Amino acid sequence: MSIIVNVDVMMAKRKMSSNELAEKIGITPANLSVLKTGKAKAIRFSTLEAICKALDCQPGDVLEYRED
Protein backbone atom coordinates (compact mmCIF):
# COMPACT_ATOMS: atom_id res chain seq x y z
CA MET A 1 0.00 0.00 0.00
CA SER A 2 1.34 3.42 -0.91
CA ILE A 3 0.00 6.71 0.31
CA ILE A 4 1.26 9.61 -1.80
CA VAL A 5 1.43 13.06 -0.20
CA ASN A 6 0.69 15.84 -2.70
CA VAL A 7 1.28 18.82 -0.44
CA ASP A 8 3.96 20.16 -2.78
CA VAL A 9 1.55 20.01 -5.74
CA MET A 10 -1.10 21.96 -3.86
CA MET A 11 1.50 24.47 -2.64
CA ALA A 12 2.61 25.07 -6.22
CA LYS A 13 -1.00 25.57 -7.34
CA ARG A 14 -1.50 28.14 -4.55
CA LYS A 15 1.96 29.70 -5.10
CA MET A 16 2.85 29.18 -1.44
CA SER A 17 6.33 28.51 -0.05
CA SER A 18 7.16 25.78 2.46
CA ASN A 19 8.07 28.34 5.10
CA GLU A 20 4.79 30.20 4.58
CA LEU A 21 2.71 27.03 4.84
CA ALA A 22 4.64 25.79 7.89
CA GLU A 23 4.02 29.10 9.63
CA LYS A 24 0.30 29.11 8.76
CA ILE A 25 -0.29 25.57 10.04
CA GLY A 26 1.95 25.84 13.09
CA ILE A 27 4.62 23.21 12.39
CA THR A 28 8.33 23.52 11.72
CA PRO A 29 9.62 23.65 8.14
CA ALA A 30 11.58 20.46 8.94
CA ASN A 31 8.38 18.60 9.91
CA LEU A 32 6.64 19.89 6.80
CA SER A 33 9.56 18.59 4.73
CA VAL A 34 9.19 15.12 6.30
CA LEU A 35 5.51 15.17 5.36
CA LYS A 36 6.13 16.44 1.81
CA THR A 37 8.77 13.80 1.06
CA GLY A 38 6.47 10.98 2.15
CA LYS A 39 8.72 9.94 5.05
CA ALA A 40 6.06 10.62 7.68
CA LYS A 41 4.43 7.53 9.16
CA ALA A 42 1.34 9.41 10.35
CA ILE A 43 -0.41 12.75 10.20
CA ARG A 44 -2.69 14.21 12.83
CA PHE A 45 -6.17 15.15 11.68
CA SER A 46 -5.61 18.59 13.16
CA THR A 47 -2.52 19.05 10.94
CA LEU A 48 -4.38 17.76 7.88
CA GLU A 49 -7.25 20.13 8.68
CA ALA A 50 -4.84 23.06 8.99
CA ILE A 51 -3.19 22.16 5.66
CA CYS A 52 -6.57 21.97 3.93
CA LYS A 53 -7.62 25.30 5.42
CA ALA A 54 -4.36 27.05 4.47
CA LEU A 55 -4.36 25.62 0.93
CA ASP A 56 -8.16 25.84 0.46
CA CYS A 57 -8.42 22.19 -0.56
CA GLN A 58 -9.85 18.83 0.49
CA PRO A 59 -7.95 15.95 2.19
CA GLY A 60 -8.17 13.99 -1.07
CA ASP A 61 -6.23 16.76 -2.80
CA VAL A 62 -3.37 16.25 -0.34
CA LEU A 63 -3.40 12.45 0.15
CA GLU A 64 -3.63 9.82 -2.58
CA TYR A 65 -3.64 6.01 -2.50
CA ARG A 66 -1.79 3.99 -5.14
CA GLU A 67 -1.49 0.23 -5.21
CA ASP A 68 2.05 -1.14 -5.27
Side-chain angles (χ1 to χ4, degrees), residues 5-25 27-38 43 47-48 50-58 61-63:
V5 181
N6 293 316
V7 172
D8 52 348
V9 173
M10 294 306 298
M11 286 172 45
K13 287 182 179 181
R14 302 298 190 256
K15 296 180 172 72
M16 188 178 294
S17 71
S18 292
N19 287 338
E20 185 180 353
L21 180 60
E23 187 176 320
K24 282 187 175 198
I25 65 176
I27 65 172
T28 66
N31 283 342
L32 180 58
S33 178
V34 168
L35 183 60
K36 284 175 36 182
T37 58
I43 183 171
T47 303
L48 182 58
I51 290 170
C52 290
K53 183 176 181 179
L55 295 174
D56 189 29
C57 64
Q58 295 294 312
D61 297 327
V62 176
L63 302 175

